[in-house]
Amino acid sequence: MAEHRNGNSEQSSLKSSGGGGGVSYQIDLENFAKRLKALYGNWKENKGELWGNCDAFAVATPPASEDLRYLKSSALQIWLLGYEFPETIMVFARKQLHFLCSAKKASLIEVVRKSAKEAVGAEVVIHVKGKGEDGSVQMDAVLRAVREGKGSLLGYLAKEAPEGALLELWSGKIKDCGMEVADVTNGLSDLFAVKDVEEQKNVRKAAFLTASVMKNFVVPKLEQVIDEEQKVSHSALMDETEKAVLQPARVKAKLRPENVDICYPPIFQSGGQFDLRPSATSNDENLYYESASVIICAVGSRYNSYCSNIARTFLIDANSLQSKAYEVLLKAQEAAIAALKPGEKVSSVYQAVLSVVERDAPELVPNLTKSAGTGIGLEFRESGLTLNAKNDRVMKQGMIFNVSLGFQNLQSPQNSSSKGQNFSLLLADTVVLGPNGPDICTNISSKAVKDVAYSFNEDEEEEERPKVKQETSRIDALMSKTTLRSDHLEHNKEEARRLHQAELARQKNEETARRLAGGGSGNGDSRSVSRPSSELIAYKNVNDLPFPKADLMIQIDQKNEAILLPIYGSMVPFHVSTVKTVSNQSDTNRNSYIRMIFNIPGTAFSPHDANSLKHQGSIYLKEVSFRSKDSRHINEIVAQIKTLRRQVASRESERAERATLVTQEKLVLANSKIRPLRLGDLWIRPQFGGRGRKQLGTLEAHFNGFRYSTSKPDERVDIMYANIKHAFFQPAENEMICIIHFHLRNHIMVGTKKTKDVQFYREVMDMVQNVGGGRRSAYDPDEIEEEQRERDRKNKINMEFHTFAHRVNDIWDQSQFKGLELEFDQPLRELGFHGVPYKATAFIVPTSSCLVELTETPFLVITLAEIEIVNLERVGFGQKNFDMAIIFKDFKRDVFRIDSIPTTSLESIKEWLNTTDIKYYESRLNLNWRPILKTIVDDPQKFIDDGGWEFLNMDATDTDTDGSEESDKGYEPSDVEAESESEDEESESASLVESDDEGEEESEEESEEEKGKTWEELEREASNADRERGDDSDSEDERRRRKMKTFGKSRPGPSSGSITKRAKMR
């Protein structure tokens, strides 16, 4: 591997102009001139402080080596010339620049003479060392030229020991030259500290490769090893990871392999033996992944000789100490990255780390690493930019840091295994200090707790002898990202879910109590407040009135939105908004009448507006009628008034809607150099208003938002990234459309519609009509070819949408959008279920953060984090369907209901709610939630004292409920039957499931006919009736009949106004 690394390193430093070997290499003269000027400028500006007051300085590079090493001499050559020249001596003087090298290297360096002269006025002098020469003569010539240039103090790199005969001879010459010497290491460190645009690009590419290796190779490899319980050594993992770095295509990184190398051999550590230094190595011990174990992985890669680094810690069935320490470490590293600000001292970064650890876990301070990382670039560790408490250097834009932080030698006494008692934690990321703050270049590899914590279920022996503590540990295992070993026993699974729900109930009651106690019962009423309308003025003065016609007739002024009525010989204007209704009719004498009723204050549905409040003493005209012989004119006037009223009302409504909108930031369009991401041929929902044929549009991703536009100039929608709450990508599988959907934080206007949901979609199949009307064979070649074309089209569109969403995710991963926490979410179809969220049945699908239905309008998007509890209603034996009531944390928000969910989906929904940490309850009747929530908000203390949400728990004891004695009686159909009709009607009237009179009569007649039949007979008859109809749907009438059959023979529950728990049905 060493030979391969050296080969890669050589290729990355010696770039061929032709892209391959065997051709001449070229130095980038523009880059050379720019950087040589920067070097001389830094030397002149900081001569006394950083460069030791030297008049000239020498940099000598050792012979080529297969070892991985970082030398400032090599870094200077790569930075200045683009190549590393082994066994070459460079001496920089004010008026001269000397090179001592072989003839082949001299031929490459020859081209910089003119650039050096133009950039800094220095003459390039090349001293060629022959093959049989030791270079002594050339060295004497160089030193003599320096002395003649009035140089009395020579700078050199004191920390680099001379290697090889040439450098050892040069070192001796410096000591015997008679000039004083000084160390210029600090000067070069300062020179390399701030990276230009090209250097930052190289580091970003290296960081992308590093993070891709961690995400796409290391993590899947570890999961496979642990899941299959393989025995793999740390050194074997190191070798495989090194191969992945050197072959970027394996980890989905489109980089040329010849430009890539490793910074150090990948590090894998576990089993109690940890070393957090970059010089650590992977030993030959097997990977240890038993309970409460820790695995540390670190990977570093180079691109064009520029370094990057990443380190992640993975927790296996972590105990409380490990979990707490990792959370503190994560917060500390985030604080360190946030403290990277231009103008601040480097020491402030470590102080930010220390303050977090001292605040959250002071006992861990002694185990904290002594630095928070170093600068990184051509050198893996830039000594002048160490992030410790003593470094007072000032940070500047363009600096790049390896933010590396850890806790070392932590002890976990409760761990029974000796390998698990000692553990360490490490996190590292490559961060560029950009114009908009710190930019984490390795953030595609997640370090969140949910993504690095893995859990095992208990072993089989413990499953045979379950205990409460063991069950609790299994519940905790459900909360992690991945469960590598699963328990397939249904009994244990149900028990674990029950215990988890019990714990969620306790947590939820405590959370609700804290929120209610703090006055946080709601986030405010979401209902909009009507605003008073502005003063209505048809004409500002009398001179603006149109000239009256010869005979006084009713006139409509479309421009000023006014109606002019002839009253006592004068034309009196009325604004059209003052007209409440207008109508016309005719009598038997061919007379036509027009009647107008005006809006006046004080009447029903006519609230006081700005005009009535301003003119409180005025007399208002309530109604006016006119008679005319010209019926055609009357009809035209009525039609014009109604049309004008609609136009004005629509305009004012839109204006009122826009007045309630939150002001959005302005969209910053991508310039010509950076083309925006585009997705074309899209339809939008809601659609734009207006007449004419609808147009397809294009969605573009710009700097801070999206823009959708069609060929029509007025059809354009801007969606800011900051206004997006959730983003969804739904591929076309069982639907005819592929969808990109945005759920927004604040409303925007799409045409004339105010909306919080904007959707862009493309149809994946063309509508085809069979003209012949006949049935085509399934083996028809044309039919098969057509189906294949449809599949190809669907796959192509899905891939286009997926690529667009993936590239937008990359934009959202940038540092300026980190606070938005945006990422395209994809519905999990395997967890979907059918239900009625509005008026029609829809397929509702969970995502990682929401419950959505995006295919049919109106759309459904419910954020899981806003849900307080879920109540599953009408759950009982014999029911084909049940309902779901979603109660939000904002108690002033209406409860959302999803009705008629098939009972076959009950278990999967309960499992989904449990795994997403949502507390659910079950009830046999629908509850009227408005009075319940009002009771909770009015008296929160009583709600808390009564046990919180536990009144919904059907499994609790019923000793305090009324009629408990009756619940102990046996099944007595003759006694209960007579009461069932009236009481069942009451329970249905209190239910949210409404019924009509005909349905009630029908159900009563059927209940009378079914008297005396046994339960088995009723079930058998119902099943036979269903089969005869061939309909398994659960209509309202069927549901009422079944409820009458089932609950009519049991003890009725309490009234809907009570929130006490129902007695169990026997």
Side-chain angles (χ1 to χ4, degrees):
M1 295 304 297
E3 293 179 1
H4 194 179
R5 287 198 298 269
N6 190 53
N8 276 358
S9 179
E10 185 179 357
Q11 288 292 340
S12 64
S13 61
L14 295 176
K15 287 185 180 178
S16 168
S17 61
V23 293
S24 60
Y25 296 100
Q26 293 182 349
I27 295 175
D28 187 343
L29 297 179
E30 181 181 352
N31 191 62
F32 169 80
K34 179 181 68 174
R35 293 184 178 178
L36 183 65
K37 190 174 182 179
L39 186 153
Y40 273 79
N42 191 297
W43 181 18
K44 180 180 179 180
E45 183 180 351
N46 304 300
K47 181 179 179 181
E49 182 180 356
L50 301 175
W51 296 86
N53 276 318
C54 65
D55 302 309
F57 65 92
V59 176
T61 52
S65 172
E66 294 181 354
D67 296 333
L68 284 168
R69 59 185 182 180
Y70 298 96
L71 302 174
K72 276 190 167 51
S73 56
S74 300
L76 178 61
Q77 288 184 350
I78 296 171
W79 180 78
L80 190 61
L81 302 171
Y83 310 135
E84 179 180 355
F85 294 92
E87 293 190 293
T88 300
I89 299 172
M90 297 186 298
V91 179
F92 297 84
R94 289 299 178 188
K95 298 298 181 180
Q96 289 182 326
L97 175 55
H98 298 269
F99 290 90
L100 196 161
C101 57
S102 65
K104 184 177 180 180
K105 295 168 187 170
S107 64
L108 293 173
I109 299 173
E110 186 73 27
V111 297
V112 305
R113 292 181 183 273
K114 183 179 178 181
S115 299
K117 192 69 175 178
E118 293 176 351
V120 297
E123 179 187 359
V124 174
V125 182
I126 301 176
H127 305 268
V128 179
K129 181 179 77 69
K131 285 187 177 181
E133 299 177 347
D134 61 359
S136 178
V137 176
Q138 291 80 8
M139 293 177 191
D140 291 337
V142 172
L143 294 174
R144 185 168 54 253
V146 172
R147 282 194 296 267
E148 290 175 355
K150 299 181 180 179
S152 60
L153 198 153
L154 181 65
Y156 76 112
L157 296 173
K159 296 181 180 180
E160 292 189 9
E163 298 180 29
L166 181 68
L167 267 63
E168 289 177 356
L169 180 60
W170 171 250
S171 178
K173 291 284 186 181
I174 291 177
K175 293 178 181 178
D176 300 335
C177 68
M179 289 188 293
E180 295 183 20
V181 293
D183 188 11
V184 295
T185 301
N186 291 337
L188 291 178
S189 295
D190 188 69
L191 180 67
F192 298 151
V194 178
K195 280 74 176 175
D196 58 28
V197 176
E198 189 65 27
E199 291 180 287
Q200 292 181 31
K201 186 185 297 183
N202 287 330
V203 172
R204 290 180 188 277
K205 289 183 178 180
F208 176 75
L209 173 60
T210 305
S212 298
V213 170
M214 181 66 73
K215 177 183 178 182
N216 300 326
F217 180 79
V218 173
V219 172
K221 182 65 177 178
L222 290 178
E223 290 179 351
Q224 179 186 2
V225 169
I226 299 173
D227 195 22
E228 298 177 2
E229 299 186 12
Q230 301 175 5
K231 292 184 178 180
V232 182
S233 66
H234 299 136
S235 56
L237 290 170
M238 175 196 72
D239 292 336
E240 292 186 42
T241 306
E242 185 174 329
K243 292 177 183 178
V245 173
L246 299 176
Q247 300 172 19
R250 290 182 58 184
V251 293
K252 304 177 183 178
K254 297 180 180 180
L255 300 174
R256 297 177 64 181
E258 60 267 23
N259 295 337
V260 168
D261 195 9
I262 61 171
C263 290
Y264 55 86
I267 300 172
F268 288 84
Q269 301 179 86
S270 66
Q273 300 180 22
F274 297 97
D275 185 355
L276 303 188
R277 295 174 298 177
S279 58
T281 58
S282 301
N283 58 31
D284 293 329
E285 296 290 329
N286 287 336
L287 188 71
Y288 181 77
Y289 45 83
E290 295 302 321
S291 179
S293 60
V294 171
I295 301 173
I296 291 179
C297 306
V299 181
S301 66
R302 292 193 290 177
Y303 184 82
N304 284 346
S305 298
Y306 282 84
C307 302
S308 66
N309 187 48
I310 190 173
R312 293 290 182 262
T313 298
F314 301 97
L315 309 175
I316 310 299
D317 228 352
N319 56 37
S320 57
L321 174 60
Q322 292 169 341
S323 299
K324 179 183 178 182
Y326 185 84
E327 290 173 0
V328 173
L329 181 63
L330 186 59
K331 290 180 182 178
Q333 198 211 24
E334 291 173 349
I337 294 173
L340 295 173
K341 298 177 181 178
E344 298 291 334
K345 291 184 178 180
V346 173
S347 57
S348 64
V349 177
Y350 193 76
Q351 292 298 332
V353 171
L354 201 58
S355 62
V356 170
V357 179
E358 289 177 342
R359 181 193 66 206
D360 294 348
E363 68 279 6
L364 299 180
V365 171
N367 304 95
L368 183 65
T369 52
K370 302 306 178 185
S371 74
T374 61
I376 194 170
L378 286 169
E379 299 176 279
F380 183 74
R381 286 178 288 178
E382 295 182 343
S383 55
L385 293 179
T386 302
L387 300 175
N388 57 27
K390 300 178 181 179
N391 195 340
D392 290 332
R393 290 190 62 178
V394 176
M395 291 180 284
K396 300 177 183 178
Q397 181 180 323
M399 289 183 173
I400 302 178
F401 295 93
N402 168 31
V403 183
S404 179
L405 201 62
F407 291 124
Q408 50 192 352
N409 297 326
L410 295 173
Q411 300 298 318
S412 179
Q414 64 267 36
N415 199 324
S416 58
S417 174
S418 59
K419 289 188 175 182
Q421 290 181 357
N422 179 66
F423 69 95
S424 298
L425 306 174
L426 179 65
L427 287 176
D429 284 285
T430 303
V431 182
V432 175
L433 194 51
N436 299 318
D439 183 10
I440 307 174
C441 302
T442 49
N443 59 359
I444 63 172
S445 176
S446 177
K447 55 193 171 186
V449 177
K450 66 183 181 65
D451 293 322
V452 301
Y454 294 82
S455 294
F456 293 99
N457 282 338
E458 297 299 321
D459 295 332
E460 294 179 357
E461 293 180 0
E462 294 176 338
E463 289 175 352
E464 294 175 1
R465 294 169 292 151
K467 297 180 181 178
V468 174
K469 292 183 179 180
Q470 294 170 341
E471 295 294 348
T472 306
S473 68
R474 278 199 287 271
I475 295 165
D476 295 336
L478 292 173
M479 303 174 67
S480 63
K481 173 193 172 188
T482 308
T483 302
L484 298 176
R485 300 172 182 171
S486 59
D487 180 6
H488 299 290
L489 298 177
E490 290 298 328
H491 175 73
N492 290 344
K493 184 177 178 180
E494 180 65 28
E495 182 67 11
R497 188 167 68 193
R498 186 185 65 80
L499 291 173
H500 188 206
Q501 284 292 307
E503 177 63 18
L504 286 177
R506 183 188 63 80
Q507 296 176 2
K508 184 59 63 178
N509 285 329
E510 292 177 357
E511 176 191 333
T512 307
R514 286 194 301 269
R515 195 168 66 249
L516 293 175
S521 60
N523 298 325
D525 198 342
S526 60
R527 299 177 180 86
S528 60
V529 180
S530 61
R531 298 186 177 184
S533 61
S534 58
E535 186 176 1
L536 301 174
I537 300 176
Y539 304 101
K540 293 184 178 180
N541 56 65
V542 70
N543 296 324
D544 294 336
L545 267 70
F547 191 76
K549 297 181 180 180
D551 47 348
L552 297 178
M553 300 175 64
I554 299 176
Q555 300 179 34
I556 307 298
D557 187 351
Q558 300 279 354
K559 180 179 179 181
N560 294 292
E561 300 172 353
I563 305 171
L564 290 95
L565 302 179
I567 300 177
Y568 294 117
S570 300
M571 300 301 292
V572 181
F574 293 84
H575 194 278
V576 71
S577 296
T578 63
V579 177
K580 185 176 182 180
T581 60
V582 58
S583 60
N584 64 314
Q585 62 182 16
S586 302
D587 59 11
T588 55
N589 296 326
R590 297 184 178 180
N591 292 323
S592 295
Y593 297 88
I594 181 172
R595 180 188 182 192
M596 296 183 195
I597 300 177
F598 297 94
N599 291 311
I600 61 173
T603 59
F605 307 107
S606 297
H608 292 279
D609 58 8
N611 300 294
S612 62
L613 295 175
K614 185 176 180 180
H615 309 287
Q616 296 184 12
S618 301
I619 299 175
Y620 291 87
L621 180 64
K622 182 178 181 181
E623 181 182 338
V624 63
S625 298
F626 291 91
R627 183 181 63 185
S628 173
K629 292 288 187 180
D630 190 351
S631 59
R632 182 185 60 80
H633 177 65
I634 291 294
N635 292 333
E636 288 179 357
I637 290 296
V638 171
Q640 290 178 16
I641 292 175
K642 289 183 177 181
T643 302
L644 186 58
R645 283 183 69 242
R646 281 195 300 269
Q647 294 174 354
V648 173
S650 175
R651 187 196 66 209
E652 291 299 320
S653 175
E654 181 181 348
R655 181 181 299 172
E657 293 284 359
R658 291 185 181 274
T660 60
L661 297 177
V662 176
T663 303
Q664 304 288 333
E665 60 182 312
K666 188 176 180 181
L667 181 67
V668 180
L669 299 177
N671 52 38
S672 57
K673 295 182 179 179
I674 304 176
R675 295 183 59 187
L677 301 179
R678 286 188 174 91
L679 189 62
D681 298 331
L682 299 179
W683 300 102
I684 186 174
R685 292 195 287 188
Q687 296 180 350
F688 292 106
R691 297 180 179 179
R693 189 171 179 269
K694 304 302 179 184
Q695 300 287 333
L696 290 168
T698 301
L699 182 65
E700 298 178 343
H702 293 275
F703 283 118
N704 63 336
F706 295 99
R707 168 165 288 181
Y708 174 82
S709 58
T710 68
S711 57
K712 296 182 180 179
D714 58 334
E715 293 186 349
R716 189 174 70 187
V717 176
D718 292 343
I719 304 173
M720 300 299 106
Y721 296 153
N723 192 32
I724 297 176
K725 187 174 183 181
H726 299 292
F728 304 100
F729 158 57
Q730 179 174 297
E733 293 184 10
N734 300 325
E735 299 84 9
M736 299 285 289
I737 57 176
C738 190
I739 294 171
I740 292 287
H741 187 99
F742 298 114
H743 182 67
L744 308 179
R745 301 178 187 275
N746 301 304
H747 290 85
I748 63 171
M749 298 296 293
V750 177
T752 59
K753 302 179 183 70
K754 182 179 177 182
T755 182
K756 262 192 177 183
D757 288 279
V758 184
Q759 184 178 108
F760 308 97
Y761 68 95
R762 189 187 300 174
E763 296 176 350
V764 298
M765 292 185 185
D766 297 326
M767 297 300 295
V768 179
Q769 184 176 2
N770 188 358
V771 179
R775 205 170 179 182
R776 301 177 67 174
S777 170
Y779 302 99
D780 187 348
D782 294 338
E783 184 78 9
I784 296 173
E785 184 179 354
E786 183 180 328
E787 290 178 358
Q788 183 61 40
R789 283 198 303 268
E790 290 177 351
R791 282 194 295 269
D792 293 342
R793 172 181 167 83
K794 180 169 71 172
N795 294 335
K796 180 181 177 182
I797 293 175
N798 285 341
M799 182 54 65
E800 286 183 27
F801 276 64
H802 178 270
T803 302
F804 179 81
H806 181 72
R807 295 178 67 184
V808 171
N809 280 338
D810 292 340
I811 295 176
W812 288 341
D813 284 338
Q814 298 175 9
S815 58
Q816 61 265 37
F817 303 120
K818 270 298 177 185
L820 301 179
E821 297 182 351
L822 289 176
E823 184 179 9
F824 272 101
D825 208 351
Q826 189 167 333
L828 306 172
R829 291 181 179 274
E830 61 273 14
L831 300 178
F833 56 90
H834 290 276
V836 183
Y838 296 106
K839 293 182 179 180
T841 301
F843 187 63
I844 302 163
V845 190
T847 71
S848 61
S849 59
C850 297
L851 186 65
V852 301
E853 193 284 309
L854 306 176
T855 307
E856 303 294 337
T857 56
F859 305 120
L860 171 65
V861 179
I862 296 176
T863 304
L864 300 184
E866 297 176 356
I867 295 177
E868 175 77 4
I869 61 166
V870 170
N871 193 41
L872 306 176
E873 302 178 348
R874 294 196 303 113
V875 176
F877 296 108
Q879 297 283 3
K880 288 185 179 179
N881 293 327
F882 68 96
D883 305 328
M884 177 189 293
I886 300 174
I887 298 89
F888 298 98
K889 293 179 180 179
D890 181 4
F891 289 166
K892 294 183 179 179
R893 186 174 171 183
D894 288 339
V895 171
F896 190 86
R897 297 185 56 82
I898 301 176
D899 295 326
S900 300
I901 304 172
T903 304
T904 54
S905 302
L906 179 61
E907 284 301 314
S908 61
I909 290 176
K910 287 160 66 174
E911 184 64 24
W912 166 68
L913 291 172
N914 188 61
T915 55
T916 52
D917 291 342
I918 295 178
K919 175 59 184 171
Y920 66 85
Y921 293 92
E922 299 179 39
S923 63
R924 294 193 176 93
L925 290 179
N926 296 112
L927 299 179
N928 191 356
W929 282 100
R930 285 192 177 181
I932 294 176
L933 295 181
K934 186 176 184 301
T935 303
I936 295 173
V937 173
D938 291 345
D939 193 354
Q941 189 58 46
K942 186 177 186 302
F943 170 74
I944 296 169
D945 295 341
D946 290 345
W949 296 107
E950 285 305 294
F951 72 89
L952 297 170
N953 191 357
M954 288 199 307
D955 294 332
T957 57
D958 270 341
T959 55
D960 296 333
T961 55
D962 295 337
S964 59
E965 294 180 358
E966 290 185 15
S967 64
D968 294 333
K969 293 182 179 180
Y971 177 60
E972 301 177 5
S974 59
D975 294 337
V976 183
E977 191 88 42
E979 300 174 3
S980 63
E981 293 178 10
S982 61
E983 294 195 15
D984 208 355
E985 288 175 2
E986 292 177 4
S987 65
E988 284 189 7
S989 64
S991 170
L992 295 180
V993 182
E994 298 179 357
S995 60
D996 50 33
D997 295 338
E998 295 178 1
E1000 291 180 2
E1001 293 175 0
E1002 183 179 347
S1003 61
E1004 288 177 7
E1005 291 173 1
E1006 290 199 9
S1007 64
E1008 289 293 337
E1009 294 173 0
E1010 302 297 338
K1011 280 187 178 182
K1013 295 182 180 180
T1014 64
W1015 180 271
E1016 288 79 13
E1017 290 174 343
L1018 293 174
E1019 286 291 337
R1020 188 163 50 253
E1021 290 181 5
S1023 300
N1024 293 336
D1026 289 341
R1027 279 195 297 271
E1028 290 175 0
R1029 285 197 306 271
D1031 183 13
D1032 292 335
S1033 64
D1034 193 20
S1035 65
E1036 293 293 327
D1037 291 340
E1038 291 174 7
R1039 185 160 53 191
R1040 282 190 293 273
R1041 285 196 297 270
R1042 184 163 54 256
K1043 186 183 295 183
M1044 187 65 68
K1045 295 173 186 176
T1046 304
F1047 291 105
K1049 298 178 183 179
S1050 64
R1051 186 184 57 80
S1055 62
S1056 62
S1058 172
I1059 62 174
T1060 56
K1061 205 190 77 59
R1062 292 179 64 253
K1064 293 182 180 178
M1065 182 189 73
R1066 286 186 173 269

